[in-house]
Amino acid sequence: MDSPVELPADALSSPASIADLEDLSTAALIAPSESISRRRVLKSLFYGAGGMALYAGEIERHWIDVVHRDVHIAGLPHAFDGLTIAQLSDIHLDEYTEPFLLREAIDHINRMQPDMVLLTGDYVTAEVLSKKMTMSAAWQCSKLLSKIACPQKYAILGNHDIIAGAEEITEAIASANIPVLRNAFMPIERGGSRIWLAGIDDPVLGKPDPDHTMPVAIRNQAQEPIILMCHAPDFIDPLANHPASKSIALVLSGHTHGGQVRIPLLGAMHLPPGGRKYVEGLFEVGGMQLYVNRGIGAVGVPFRFNCRPEITRFRLRAEKPQIPYSHV
């Protein structure tokens, strides 16, 4: 008869239960895969965020959208039917807007060959660079704007221009033969007819005065509508209760940057005071038409996402004829 096999004394010194074996098996099979999965997710998020930042900062921020719009205006004189206006807004030179981007915008405008160019404020960014550097940016901006070929160029100031120094910014822009309208108006004449161009001081930090901007003498004139430049678009609501509003055909604004960074399903990450109701595009308010331009610059962060920089080309058209319905 064979003798029994002897095992080492410590081979099963602490026998494992079935439950213990199951725990060990689970740990061996699941923990590594969970760790790998977690690393993959974190890596994907990291690369995704990096890719989005690269796109928003280097691609979309420099990808100018040239928007073409027909605007029908009641009482527009026949001589102005077809007149084209280019709007350029919110340049913010030298915070995050490089000179080459402004040069590209001006090239777009010159290729359009518009009849008029309207600049709706914020040529620099205030309180980011030193005062000396901000003023240097203003004069550099003016030098670049002087390259706009269209002889009819007009401007207003924005809130950043007022903080930086309204008089200094006005002097810089005016040096490029671009009149700056602050609570002021002027006639635009063509073919023996006339319309009015008005520019109101910035509603957020300036002293807007509709009575000086659009005095009684230019209101309610037959076939002499008013085009108003107003940096902050939300001012159109109080303006709608002013007697001058009945004579205003079109208001051109900027200020909002269209939201600048717009997350799908969430919307704009930030909107400034004076630009939280009317963010971008065309609106009708109390008989006035308002257009909010997204601008070409960036503020706060060097990104644009789901919100390309914009230049707008308007073509003024006589009001659409109202064809009455008739029974046959």
Side-chain angles (χ1 to χ4, degrees):
M1 184 175 178
D2 295 334
S3 59
V5 177
E6 292 184 4
L7 297 174
D10 59 348
L12 293 174
S13 59
S14 179
S17 67
I18 293 176
D20 291 334
L21 293 174
E22 288 176 350
D23 289 342
L24 290 170
S25 174
T26 301
L29 293 175
I30 295 178
S33 63
E34 285 182 345
S35 177
I36 292 170
S37 177
R38 200 177 301 118
R39 284 198 298 269
R40 284 177 178 170
V41 169
L42 291 173
K43 186 181 289 187
S44 296
L45 289 173
F46 175 79
Y47 285 123
M52 188 172 79
L54 179 63
Y55 169 78
E58 295 301 322
I59 298 176
E60 185 162 328
R61 185 169 66 85
H62 298 130
W63 185 11
I64 295 175
D65 183 17
V66 181
V67 177
H68 297 261
R69 281 194 174 268
D70 280 1
V71 178
H72 293 268
I73 293 180
L76 185 71
H78 177 73
F80 287 89
D81 189 22
L83 179 124
T84 56
I85 298 172
Q87 183 189 5
L88 177 63
S89 194
D90 296 270
I91 296 166
H92 291 281
L93 193 68
D94 267 7
E95 182 186 8
Y96 297 121
T97 304
E98 305 91 338
F100 78 79
L101 183 62
L102 178 54
R103 280 193 289 267
E104 182 182 341
I106 291 168
D107 287 343
H108 278 296
I109 290 172
N110 287 340
R111 285 194 293 271
M112 290 178 192
Q113 297 184 326
D115 298 302
M116 191 186 315
V117 177
L118 301 181
L119 311 173
T120 45
D122 277 1
Y123 308 96
V124 297
T125 299
E127 300 181 328
V128 173
L129 305 173
S130 68
K131 176 81 171 182
K132 182 178 180 180
M133 292 175 71
T134 300
M135 288 303 112
S136 176
W139 284 94
Q140 183 182 22
C141 184
S142 172
K143 184 176 180 180
L144 292 169
L145 291 174
S146 70
K147 303 300 182 182
I148 296 175
C150 177
Q152 290 202 81
K153 304 181 285 281
Y154 306 97
I156 57 172
L157 299 184
N159 55 305
H160 280 267
D161 304 319
I162 289 175
I163 297 172
E167 299 304 324
E168 295 98 322
I169 301 296
T170 297
E171 182 184 0
I173 300 304
S175 73
N177 294 318
I178 303 175
V180 179
L181 303 180
R182 298 184 66 192
N183 294 327
F185 65 94
M186 62 183 302
I188 305 295
E189 298 180 342
R190 191 177 197 188
S193 298
R194 178 174 64 184
I195 63 174
W196 297 96
L197 176 67
I200 199 162
D201 203 10
D202 175 62
V204 176
L205 295 174
K207 297 178 179 178
D209 187 336
D211 288 315
H212 276 84
T213 307
M214 297 161 289
V216 174
I218 71 169
R219 298 179 202 165
N220 304 314
Q221 301 297 314
Q223 293 191 315
E224 293 186 10
I226 298 171
I227 296 174
L228 175 67
M229 294 187 289
C230 175
H231 183 68
D234 290 357
F235 189 67
I236 197 168
D237 282 342
L239 190 62
N241 297 317
H242 192 277
S245 66
K246 296 179 181 178
S247 301
I248 300 171
L250 177 63
V251 180
L252 298 182
S253 296
H255 186 52
T256 68
H257 297 212
Q260 190 170 309
V261 176
R262 299 192 306 211
I263 306 301
L265 303 180
L266 296 178
M269 297 297 291
H270 172 74
L271 290 169
R276 292 174 176 165
K277 183 176 181 181
Y278 304 101
V279 177
E280 66 151 341
L282 188 64
F283 303 88
E284 187 167 339
V285 182
M288 297 176 284
Q289 295 181 84
L290 164 69
Y291 190 83
V292 186
N293 182 291
R294 298 190 299 270
I296 67 165
V299 168
V301 292
F303 302 126
R304 274 186 176 266
F305 184 74
N306 198 25
C307 189
R308 289 167 58 189
E310 174 186 1
I311 299 168
T312 317
R313 176 188 178 273
F314 300 97
R315 183 173 61 168
L316 303 189
R317 304 310 306 264
E319 189 178 26
K320 293 179 181 178
Q322 299 297 316
I323 302 175
Y325 176 82
S326 61
H327 293 283
V328 177

